[in-house]
Amino acid sequence: MAGDLCEAIALKELVARGYWVFKSGLTHSPIDIIAISPGGKVLMLDVKQEAFRVLKDRKHLGPYRIYRVLTEQQKKLGVRMCYVNLKTEAISFVPRLDEESSS
């Protein structure tokens, strides 16, 4: 359920940013959402709920983001991670949208 909600929030935000958005109909797919800007930039996204862990040791005081790892197939396709914070409905992309993909 949380995954569907995260995808809905991401869809809403991408549409608000002017993207045409397409959702995968497959349960197990390397891509959850494909978004295309009016200029033709294509984003392939794997949408995940943003999760934080709190560490209480000397090196790490406070929360840090739990990063997911792209599969080899996702890396070859140029998929980006899209993290959704369910509390604030904020989304963030890794790499950021203003950065070129390293693949």
Side-chain angles (χ1 to χ4, degrees), residues 35-83:
I36 305 171
S37 73
K41 181 176 182 174
V42 177
L43 300 176
M44 293 178 282
L45 303 171
D46 185 10
V47 180
K48 299 291 183 202
Q49 180 179 352
E50 187 171 55
F52 289 92
R53 241 184 224 150
V54 177
L55 293 179
K56 297 179 183 176
D57 64 20
R58 291 181 195 165
K59 281 185 166 181
H60 301 82
L61 297 175
Y64 73 95
R65 175 186 270 160
I66 300 170
Y67 284 96
R68 308 289 186 211
V69 178
L70 294 172
T71 65
E72 287 304 314
Q73 184 180 27
Q74 289 174 314
K75 290 175 186 175
K76 288 178 186 174
L77 293 170
V79 175
R80 292 174 187 255
M81 296 302 294
C82 175
Y83 292 100

